[in-house]
Amino acid sequence: MVRTRFAPSPNGPLHLGHAYSAIVAHDLARTNRGEFLVRIEDIDGERSRSALVEDFLADLAWLGLRHDGPVVCQSGRLPAYAQAAERLRTMGLLYPCRCTRAEIAAAATASGRDGPLYPGTCRGRDIDPAGAAWRLDMGKALALTGPLTWTDELAGRQCADPARFGDVILIRKDAPASYHLAATLDDAADGITLVTRGADLFAATHVHRLLQALLDLPVPVWHHHGLLVEAGGRKLAKRRGAPALADRRRAGQDGQALADALRAHHFPAGILFAPTLNGEP
Ligand code: GLU
């Protein structure tokens, strides 16, 4: 049975890009006589606003997207994240890190790297874990799992390349888990067989596949869809004026008709579709 999910973060209103993503997840479930779940990714501390969740559910109903089962909230799953982190810690795969973003950027620049890849400053050091972030020792993790593959419905079979992320943070200083850890555990707990999301998260899947191997989790298939972008190619964003679905809904626009237009790739003026090329945008 195919089970998909739409997993918005309540840190801003939904816009057309979210609508497109929800439609892809919903329709792939329905055409396969499967199930479509809604999960609220609300562990982003202060950025999460529970009042938005009510709007999200009203937006989905307005678009004609009926979901199955109860809405799941990540904030109800903190013990599961802590348990998984403890397991990885016991395996010797996590280490505490107290570096600030500025320190990481400075160290990365000093080592001649052009990205914000963590230079491993705290690895192997005696760091007070209280209030620290916890990072995955990527080298050790890869040595344990060996080569991994995963499959995207559109881009085909991929060789997992999580090393490009370096020692990723799995437990944040300011949140009970990172996106990578929480989403991977949740997709397993929710029995998601087909993970649908925008191609902007394609690369993150390399890390998720590694976490599945480390934690003995089932491996779904992925479907990273193309993105709705502004004429200049940038992703739609509320902060750049992408109108909220809730505003359209309250203004009396026909949500079902909007959903059908998005399905047919008929987008409002100024919005384009960036198809994926080998998966990545
Ligand atoms: N919460 C993420 C977002 O709102 C989606 C994560 C996912 O689908 O894996 O962009």
Side-chain angles (χ1 to χ4, degrees):
M1 212 247 316
V2 170
R3 188 181 284 158
T4 65
R5 86 311 193 261
F6 175 56
S9 305
N11 49 25
L14 300 185
H15 54 57
L16 284 180
H18 296 107
Y20 184 82
S21 200
I23 289 166
V24 168
H26 169 274
D27 290 5
L28 282 169
R30 295 290 169 245
T31 53
N32 287 294
R33 293 170 196 264
E35 289 181 348
F36 167 61
L37 270 55
V38 172
R39 180 169 76 227
I40 305 296
E41 305 212 321
D42 60 346
I43 53 168
D44 201 357
E46 286 178 5
R47 277 157 50 91
S48 289
R49 285 185 273 150
S50 54
L52 283 171
V53 174
E54 224 169 279
D55 261 345
F56 287 8
L57 299 179
D59 291 341
L60 293 174
W62 172 71
L63 290 166
L65 309 178
R66 189 180 49 75
H67 63 87
D68 297 295
V71 173
V72 177
C73 288
Q74 287 191 326
S75 52
R77 291 190 157 160
L78 306 190
Y81 307 149
Q83 209 178 1
E86 192 48 43
R87 179 167 165 187
L88 295 171
R89 229 176 257 127
T90 308
M91 291 161 79
L93 295 178
L94 296 193
Y95 65 88
C97 167
R98 295 190 158 280
C99 294
T100 62
R101 273 172 209 263
E103 284 165 352
I104 294 169
T109 311
S111 66
R113 253 190 234 112
D114 59 356
L117 205 66
Y118 182 65
T121 318
C122 293
R123 193 192 312 124
R125 282 169 74 178
D126 190 15
I127 305 282
D128 175 8
W134 288 83
R135 290 182 179 275
L136 180 70
D137 186 325
M138 186 58 78
K140 275 194 194 168
L142 291 174
L144 265 184
T145 60
L148 299 166
T149 60
W150 54 278
T151 301
D152 180 273
E153 275 194 340
L154 303 177
R157 199 170 132 98
Q158 309 292 316
C159 290
D161 177 25
R164 64 163 88 174
F165 284 82
D167 291 357
V168 279
I169 288 186
L170 294 189
I171 300 290
R172 287 167 39 175
K173 274 183 211 165
D174 58 345
S178 70
Y179 159 66
H180 296 309
L181 183 63
T184 303
L185 291 169
D186 285 346
D187 284 335
D190 294 335
I192 302 302
T193 63
L194 180 60
V195 174
T196 65
R197 59 184 168 218
D200 51 333
L201 288 169
F202 188 93
T205 303
H206 293 296
V207 176
H208 300 186
R209 180 66 190 88
L210 174 64
L211 292 177
Q212 285 157 357
L214 294 172
L215 294 165
D216 299 314
L217 301 173
V219 182
V221 172
W222 283 265
H223 178 113
H224 293 93
H225 58 74
L227 299 175
L228 269 57
V229 295
E230 297 171 356
R234 290 204 294 182
K235 239 179 86 169
L236 297 191
K238 173 68 183 158
R239 63 179 183 285
R240 287 196 294 275
L245 296 182
D247 292 339
R248 294 174 181 269
R249 173 164 56 79
R250 292 192 185 102
Q253 200 175 330
D254 182 340
Q256 185 73 59
L258 175 66
D260 287 341
L262 294 176
R263 285 186 176 99
H265 281 203
H266 292 149
F267 303 115
I271 295 181
L272 306 170
F273 184 71
T276 58
L277 196 67
N278 301 324
E280 304 199 47

